[in-house]
Amino acid sequence: MSSKKTLILDKEQIKQKSIRIAYQILEDNFEENTLVLVGIADRGYVFAQRLQKILEEISDKNIELLKVTMSKTSRSLKAETDHPIEGAKNKTLILVDDVLNSGRTLAYGLGVFLNVPIKKMRTAVLIDRSHPKFPIVSDYYGLKLSTILKEHVEVNLQGFEAEDDAAWLV
């Protein structure tokens, strides 16, 4: 059985969708002075860095960045952050990942902040596959894609100016 890849987003499309998501985040949070982008390692954090760069270019808001590293296959929440989570207290958080599939990763990301009083939390993903097992939705997304469970979405995000940025359906 051969593995066929279908390009679903190229570099330019990823850039355009990232800009659109950044504007949606601004529109939804116009009254906020500070936004905290919480990127889920690895590709979610890279995507959050891109959103931070765009948001800083198009607004005067303070955009903070927090990295969450977790075991995505564990049945219990084991996560670490690169900064103390108390810094998110009474702020609006945007939980960022590259792909939303079952919702488990974003649910675990939300769990990190359950003991911190936050103002509001939203989610941003590049691709929403719409296979929910958890009550998690994407508030901001680049592409909503109907796939079968056997298919896999592979996202390459190297750096903001990387030549090989792409999203593939495998």
Side-chain angles (χ1 to χ4, degrees):
M1 179 166 29
S2 69
S3 168
K4 181 183 166 197
K5 282 186 166 185
T6 304
L7 181 68
I8 52 178
L9 292 174
D10 63 22
K11 178 182 174 154
E12 190 59 33
Q13 290 168 319
I14 289 173
K15 184 176 179 181
Q16 290 169 348
K17 293 193 181 298
S18 300
I19 292 168
R20 183 172 56 87
I21 289 170
Y23 275 104
Q24 289 174 330
I25 290 170
L26 282 180
E27 289 171 6
D28 189 39
N29 299 288
F30 66 91
E31 73 287 353
E32 301 298 328
N33 294 323
T34 300
L35 296 172
V36 180
L37 298 178
V38 180
I40 298 175
D42 290 308
R43 287 178 300 275
Y45 183 70
V46 172
F47 188 44
Q49 288 175 308
R50 291 175 183 216
L51 292 175
Q52 179 187 33
K53 182 175 180 177
I54 295 166
L55 287 164
E56 288 175 344
E57 289 173 359
I58 64 175
S59 78
D60 58 355
K61 294 186 183 305
N62 179 30
I63 310 297
E64 298 175 6
L65 188 60
L66 184 70
K67 181 178 185 179
V68 174
T69 306
M70 67 179 80
S71 171
K72 296 180 181 182
T73 57
S74 174
R75 291 185 173 251
S76 62
L77 176 59
K78 295 177 184 152
E80 296 177 4
T81 58
D82 63 345
H83 298 293
I85 60 173
E86 291 75 25
K89 186 176 180 179
N90 299 320
K91 295 179 183 172
T92 294
L93 277 63
I94 314 295
L95 193 57
V96 181
D97 205 3
D98 60 335
V99 178
L100 170 59
N101 187 24
S102 69
R104 176 187 305 270
T105 303
L106 288 177
Y108 280 11
L110 167 70
V112 172
F113 298 93
L114 287 180
N115 293 325
V116 178
I118 58 174
K119 196 175 208 179
K120 168 169 73 168
M121 181 175 274
R122 296 287 184 258
T123 59
V125 296
L126 184 58
I127 300 172
D128 183 341
R129 289 190 57 200
S130 306
H131 290 290
K133 291 182 183 176
F134 291 79
I136 300 291
V137 296
S138 55
D139 296 296
Y140 318 109
Y141 60 88
L143 178 67
K144 211 170 253 248
L145 184 66
S146 294
T147 61
I148 60 173
L149 289 174
K150 290 182 181 180
E151 292 175 317
H152 176 72
V153 173
E154 181 181 302
V155 176
N156 291 339
L157 297 174
Q158 296 302 317
F160 194 65
E161 299 300 327
E163 289 300 319
D164 58 347
D165 284 358
W168 302 90
L169 183 61
V170 183

